[in-house]
Amino acid sequence: MKRFLVEVLTFWGILFITIGGLRLFWIFSAPCFQEKGLLQGHISTLLLGPSNGECAWNDAIISNSKNLCISAMTMGGCFNRLKWVVEYNPVQIDTVVLCASWVALAYQCDDDLPIIINGFTEEKRNILNYQTFFSHYKKVPDYWKRAFTFFPSTQFNFSIEGGYIYLERDELHNPEARTRIGDVINHAGGAQAFSSDYFRKHCSYQLENLLKIQDYCNQHQITLVLLSPPVYAIPNMVNDQGYRVLIREELGDSTLVADYSRFVFPDNSYYGDLEHLNHKGATYFSEHIAREGIKTQYAIDYCLNKSAATTSL
Amino acid sequence: MVVNSFRFFAFFAVVFIVYFIPRISCSNKRQNGWLLLTSYFFYGFVDWRMLPLLLGVTLLFFFIGKAIHTTVQQGCSKIASMLTTLGVSAGIGILLYFKYLNFFAESFAAALHHWGLGVSWTGLNIVLPVGVSFFTFKLISYVIEIHREKIVPSYDFIEFATYISFFPTILSGPIDRPGSFLPQLQQERHFDYNLAMDGCQQILWGIFTKMVIADRLAIVTDTAWSDFSAQDPWRLLYAALLSPVQVYADFDGYSNMAIGVGKILGFRITKNFDHPLLARNVSEYWRRWHISLTGWITDYVFMPLNIAFRNLGKTGLFLAVSINIILIGMWHGANWTYAVFGVYHSLLFLPLIMSGSFGKNKKLKEGRWGLPRWSDIAGIILTYLLIAFGHIIFFSADVPAAFDYISKTISLTGPFVSPFASAGKGVWLWVLILFILDWRTRKKEFAIQRTSGNYQYAKVRLFLSDWALAICIVLLGTHGEDKFIYFQF
């Protein structure tokens, strides 16, 4: 018995130590984004933010732009990247498009979107969490490699951007996911609201770095635009007035906002899942931006007129 | 509480430690009492509402078993037969009520409605008890075996209730027979290092096949079965081709974990699979697949029918086989797809019966380069394809859906989609690996089992394979709350 227990516990103990060691090794040996080499060519617009932006903006279509978004990137990560691009790269950036929709901000806030939404029941949180997080693990077989970027409020910035764009996944056509999405929409029904107070209290890291980015852009005469990329369902079921107030109060009336969260696509086949476009959607959206330019408005107008930034085709 | 969860392992750690505490392990009655307590806790954790049912039917069969034995001893064979019939009817009645009542009533009402009779049926809200198909089969075999005088009944209720509710097997089997399991409960179980290590390895192998192979393949197959109308024919074809391996890896994974847990506690549980991927015809497939169920139905249904129909020659044999296989199909649930699945499989037996090769076991021999012989390879591939085709019927929502799936798959319209692009290279690689491992380790109970011989060499190899499996599970396993396919049955 003793021998058995010793052997089993030793096996599992060594296994956990090995796996832990491997994880640490991968974390510290993962190339930093700076090691990818300097940006080349004529780049004047920089896109920063998490996967919502990564999946929406194809920089091969939108000329003179570079998409440096990466899944789960915090505002801290965006700030580091911005500094690196501006200070070490032979490019002249005049516009930073920061993917800072409330979805993008809230997701990297302790990796917990629903906690900042008042009125969500546990069931609905689970549906949202499952849909938006765990489906990635199931549908992308090697996703465990990317799991290392999921440290909340850290500044690990791995250079794996571009892996997420051109998403082939078609979650909206997956019947199981479609049922869940239907459940969310049916039950949530716009009764929930983004809580700016809760966000200030629990996502101060995101807010601090958002302000740092704004200051940095002001210092370097860079135009900052807050982008809300197209998303399928979440804006339809959450009252985002709290987010608008937050932006206006924290960043000021003159902050430029480009809200494409309600951008209309011909059908649902353009979405990868609830809040990510797929390859088809990214192409469609980017062609629209390339053709029409990015439409912005000041935060004061954005706050007053909810539908002003809505672009329909 | 799925058996590959941390929650289960925490539960099992407590069971194990208390079970082998000297004051408990010195008496088989104390060990049985502890096992019964924990088994009921386990079952109640899954669905506490069904605990009274489990307890009730256990009590009923306990007394019926004793009564049958007493009447047999007294020479009252008619009363013994009546009691046995009562017991078997009670078992079948439980199954019929909980599993099939709505189904048969709805089908009957629909048939009458079709013939112009205005009959309708409002389905009853019946909760299906978890594991009912497994524990009722144990109960039925208990009374039949007593009547056949193959076993003596248990006079210790705790011992009998432990046999029925034994936690590793109550949810999805294997269906242990009383003749093999009750004697084990009647003796003290002392810790057996070799058996426990064997059990650990079997659990590890089970977790691997479930989490690394089955759940990975399920990503492809689940989408196809649940909404085939939205899928292109190539994807449907690949899903059908992957399904036999997925179901095997899933169910064999569970069985290995259950058997492994049993071994650690000192029990030898019935084997459930014997490398079914290597079957060269459908008859051999059913001898290798879900052995505890097919063996049960063979003993209690096929053999009596075969004797009853023996005067009809090959027709009688075919009839007996057909009823046998259709019952196996219907055992899985209340849906006509399972009946059609049974009819399909029974038709596959027809050529074997007509050619006289039914039931003849030719040994699987090694050919050149360590591979099976070409004729065997052809048989294995053909059988696999036939089984895959049957799975389309098995997993479809209803019979029309199955035919739609088949017609869509056969049509293969639209541009060719590569299997690697559709399902991913890794998925096909795991299928190949499982085939190779099944072949290479066909004489073992499971792939990484210890063998005698060059012990040092085997030890090193096993040490490495254990590590490789464990690392694969951690890094490549799908770590969700995925349930086992056979839980629903």
Side-chain angles (χ1 to χ4, degrees), chain B residues 350-383:
Chain B
L350 199 54
L352 299 172
I353 293 170
M354 297 312 288
S355 66
S357 56
F358 173 75
K360 289 182 180 169
N361 301 330
K362 282 184 187 170
K363 204 177 172 189
L364 197 58
K365 286 181 184 168
E366 205 168 279
R368 293 173 75 183
W369 306 307
L371 293 170
R373 291 176 304 189
W374 289 113
S375 57
D376 289 340
I377 291 176
I380 288 168
I381 293 171
L382 180 64
T383 308

Side-chain angles (χ1 to χ4, degrees), chain B residues 388-409:
Chain B
F389 187 79
H391 278 202
I392 297 176
I393 305 166
F394 189 87
F395 283 108
S396 291
D398 50 43
V399 176
F403 284 111
D404 285 351
Y405 190 115
I406 292 164
S407 60
K408 195 172 177 185
T409 309

Side-chain angles (χ1 to χ4, degrees), chain A residues 1 4 7 14-15 138 175, chain B residues 20 191 193 197 219 227 467:
Chain A
M1 170 80 99
F4 170 76
E7 284 189 15
I14 295 173
L15 179 70
K138 284 207 76 160
Chain B
F20 284 115
F191 182 77
Y193 170 81
M197 286 307 285
I219 296 169
D227 190 15
W467 276 97

Side-chain angles (χ1 to χ4, degrees), chain A residues 1 3-5 7-8 10-12 14-16 18-19 22 26 138-139 141 144 173-176 178, chain B residues 6 16 20 191 193 196-197 200 204 216 219 223 226-227 230 264 450 466-467 470-471 474-476 482:
Chain A
M1 170 80 99
R3 186 177 157 204
F4 170 76
L5 288 174
E7 284 189 15
V8 168
T10 307
F11 178 81
W12 286 107
I14 295 173
L15 179 70
F16 278 113
T18 309
I19 298 297
L22 279 173
W26 280 321
K138 284 207 76 160
K139 299 296 172 191
W144 60 270
H173 277 154
N174 175 348
E176 197 190 339
R178 202 164 55 203
Chain B
F6 280 109
F16 173 80
F20 284 115
F191 182 77
Y193 170 81
M197 286 307 285
C200 281
L204 190 64
R216 198 157 288 280
I219 296 169
T223 313
S226 55
D227 190 15
I264 295 173
R450 286 162 189 252
D466 286 355
W467 276 97
I471 289 173
V474 174
L475 297 183
L476 303 175
D482 293 303

